[in-house]
Amino acid sequence: MAKNDNVTSLLDDAPAFTRQSGGRLVVVKGPDRGESVVLGSDQVTVGSGPSCELVLTDKTVSRQHLTATLGEDGLHLADMGSTNGCFYGDSRFQQITVNFGSEFRVGRTQLKFVPQEEIVEPALSASENFGTLLGQDVKMRRLFALLTDIADTDATVIIEGETGTGKELVAEEIHRHSRRKNAPFVVFDCGAVPRDLIESALFGHVKGSFTGAVGDRKGAFAEAHGGTIFLDEIGELAVDLQPALLRVLDKRAVRRVGGNQYEKVDVRVVAATNRDLREEVAKKNFREDLYYRLAVIRITLPPLRERGADIPYLARNFTQKFSPPGTELAITEQQSARLQRHSWPGNVRELRNIIERACVLSHGGSINLEDALTEEAKPSLGIRTDLPFKDAKGQLVELFEREYVMDLMRRHRMNISSAAREAEIDRKHLRELIRKYGIDSRRGDE
């Protein structure tokens, strides 16, 4: 993937594609809070002396306190004979290697090692597909260009997006276009495995390690050796289980439950979530260091409502796929217009299900959209019983959020402060919901 030297600072409204590019040291506590230094291939010196790359005014910091060198395995720190020492947690160190998200102290100053994150703006792909992924919209064609660049690397990828946007399909196509395509592609759903069995399912176990362990078993990482492991719904992984996953990502080795030896695994990791992991990090629901380890490349898939031109295009493709053998059903102009007016809370998966149903219920030479949409709306509260539980629940939550926020903002004429007070939610969270559901503040009167 071509290197873009123009690094753009990230806003709260996260861009569609980002990647990590080096790192930086940030002062998070002390008289120089907010100061930082970018880490490159050269060694960086931290101290109170004017010759240092990161100059601190803290009087408890020596003139040349420590050096920081960025390596492939993390950031190498070395004390330069300082008076007051360097501390990681409560332990004083002379030399140590730390990873993204780590904090350490020099004198009374607390420093943090974080990645440089830059926005990636790929050129438009000339193709309207990437394997089985389809799309004419600009957002999708940029996605196809990015996937073409990253597929044949081993970079870890996190895919974010609403339910039904195609996160697993993206992961599959990354694998199919990689040098690992002939090796296993293993899917592990972090939200579907009982909490007390997740470690065993991920890392394996040895016979007798717990009740019911009647024999040795490989875990998902070992099964994916040589190929790709797809960690679906990574945001559902309990906080106390996240350190074990982080160790595997760092060591590229697993230790089975009940075992005492690490086994090397050669896997590419792709993860997905319908949550905003940066928000989950801020809420302490997801480890910051694990997020950095996963988000080497970060992709956010657009919801179908933001891909208006793709709705009729995808509908035609699904119609061709689901038409009875020997026939090709048509979509009328009125039907196409109705499809574009629909809000699609279930995104592409919902469109696919409706078109499949419309083809099954067809009469004459066109799809039966009227009955298909009626069937879709039959369950009470709009609950989709033809979807997995977590997907149906996600759609219902999104429908509630959209309707609640739209009515709230309409009544308060788009006054965020007033609306947030009534709803008893944080103004920042309300802004995020407004952005998520595309509510336009310039049209408050409507």
Side-chain angles (χ1 to χ4, degrees), residues 159-195:
I159 307 167
E160 297 180 341
E162 296 178 11
T163 297
T165 48
K167 298 184 288 293
E168 184 171 346
L169 193 56
V170 171
E172 289 175 356
E173 291 303 333
I174 288 174
H175 176 72
R176 288 177 186 145
H177 287 77
S178 74
R179 64 176 71 97
R180 298 174 179 266
K181 61 186 177 183
N182 295 322
F185 176 77
V186 175
V187 178
F188 185 87
D189 190 335
C190 299
V193 179
R195 186 181 178 282

Side-chain angles (χ1 to χ4, degrees), residues 278-320:
R278 301 202 303 184
E279 182 179 326
E280 294 301 304
V281 168
K283 293 177 180 177
K284 308 297 183 184
N285 294 331
F286 200 84
R287 287 181 61 110
E288 185 177 23
D289 46 5
L290 178 57
Y291 169 75
Y292 289 144
R293 197 67 182 79
L294 292 169
V296 177
I297 302 290
R298 190 185 63 82
I299 294 171
T300 301
L301 299 183
L304 186 57
R305 62 182 174 275
E306 295 179 5
R307 299 167 52 191
D310 275 350
I311 294 173
Y313 173 66
L314 292 172
R316 288 193 300 271
N317 277 276
F318 289 141
T319 300
Q320 291 173 1

Side-chain angles (χ1 to χ4, degrees), residues 64-361:
Q64 291 190 323
H65 202 107
L66 93 162
T67 60
T69 308
L70 191 61
E72 291 185 2
D73 57 341
L75 184 65
H76 304 284
L77 304 173
D79 191 323
M80 298 184 71
S82 65
T83 301
N84 292 311
C86 304
F87 291 83
Y88 185 81
D90 295 327
S91 301
R92 184 167 181 167
F93 67 85
Q94 293 300 317
Q95 294 188 19
I96 194 173
T97 300
V98 298
N99 291 314
F100 290 136
S102 298
E103 296 187 15
F104 58 94
R105 179 167 55 85
V106 294
R108 294 194 180 97
T109 296
Q110 192 85 3
L111 293 151
K112 187 172 186 177
F113 174 41
V114 298
Q116 280 283 91
E117 200 172 15
E118 68 179 36
I119 295 173
V120 180
E121 296 181 352
L124 288 178
S125 171
S127 177
E128 295 179 352
N129 73 290
F130 183 77
T132 55
L133 291 167
L134 302 175
Q136 296 177 324
D137 188 89
V138 168
K139 293 179 180 179
M140 295 304 292
R141 289 171 59 199
R142 290 194 189 282
L143 171 65
F144 298 159
L146 177 66
L147 294 178
T148 300
D149 284 345
I150 69 171
D152 206 30
T153 72
D154 277 335
T156 304
V157 180
I158 183 76
I159 307 167
E160 297 180 341
E162 296 178 11
T163 297
T165 48
K167 298 184 288 293
E168 184 171 346
L169 193 56
V170 171
E172 289 175 356
E173 291 303 333
I174 288 174
H175 176 72
R176 288 177 186 145
H177 287 77
S178 74
R179 64 176 71 97
R180 298 174 179 266
K181 61 186 177 183
N182 295 322
F185 176 77
V186 175
V187 178
F188 185 87
D189 190 335
C190 299
V193 179
R195 186 181 178 282
D196 56 343
L197 296 178
I198 283 185
E199 283 193 88
S200 170
L202 272 175
F203 314 131
H205 63 252
V206 297
K207 181 180 179 180
S209 56
F210 56 86
T211 303
V214 295
D216 291 354
R217 176 189 168 180
K218 282 185 176 182
F221 271 91
E223 289 173 354
H225 183 71
T228 303
I229 185 168
F230 174 53
L231 301 174
D232 197 11
E233 301 299 348
I234 189 68
E236 306 301 319
L237 190 65
V239 174
D240 59 334
L241 295 173
Q242 292 173 19
L245 176 59
L246 180 62
R247 283 194 296 272
V248 173
L249 297 180
D250 285 339
K251 293 177 177 290
R252 293 293 163 169
V254 296
R255 186 176 65 183
R256 299 189 189 193
V257 175
N260 53 20
Q261 292 184 332
Y262 279 93
E263 304 171 26
K264 287 290 185 182
V265 288
D266 172 25
V267 294
R268 184 188 191 162
V269 177
V270 180
T273 179
N274 59 10
R275 299 189 181 197
D276 183 339
L277 282 191
R278 301 202 303 184
E279 182 179 326
E280 294 301 304
V281 168
K283 293 177 180 177
K284 308 297 183 184
N285 294 331
F286 200 84
R287 287 181 61 110
E288 185 177 23
D289 46 5
L290 178 57
Y291 169 75
Y292 289 144
R293 197 67 182 79
L294 292 169
V296 177
I297 302 290
R298 190 185 63 82
I299 294 171
T300 301
L301 299 183
L304 186 57
R305 62 182 174 275
E306 295 179 5
R307 299 167 52 191
D310 275 350
I311 294 173
Y313 173 66
L314 292 172
R316 288 193 300 271
N317 277 276
F318 289 141
T319 300
Q320 291 173 1
K321 180 176 182 179
F322 296 121
S323 290
T327 65
E328 185 172 331
L329 298 173
I331 301 176
T332 67
E333 290 185 11
Q334 292 84 355
Q335 289 171 334
S336 182
R338 184 172 181 184
L339 288 171
Q340 289 187 287
R341 289 195 302 269
H342 192 67
S343 60
W344 301 112
N347 293 294
V348 179
R349 182 186 289 133
E350 182 184 5
L351 174 62
R352 182 186 188 278
N353 290 344
I354 284 179
I355 295 299
E356 182 177 12
R357 188 178 294 113
C359 290
V360 171
L361 299 173

Side-chain angles (χ1 to χ4, degrees), residues 359-397:
C359 290
V360 171
L361 299 173
S362 66
H363 45 73
S366 64
I367 64 173
N368 185 353
L369 186 61
E370 183 67 32
D371 288 342
L373 283 171
T374 301
E375 287 288 322
E376 189 80 3
K378 274 185 179 180
S380 62
L381 299 177
I383 296 172
R384 293 284 306 282
T385 56
D386 60 329
L387 293 178
F389 172 81
K390 64 180 181 181
D391 293 342
K393 180 181 177 182
Q395 285 191 15
L396 190 58
V397 169

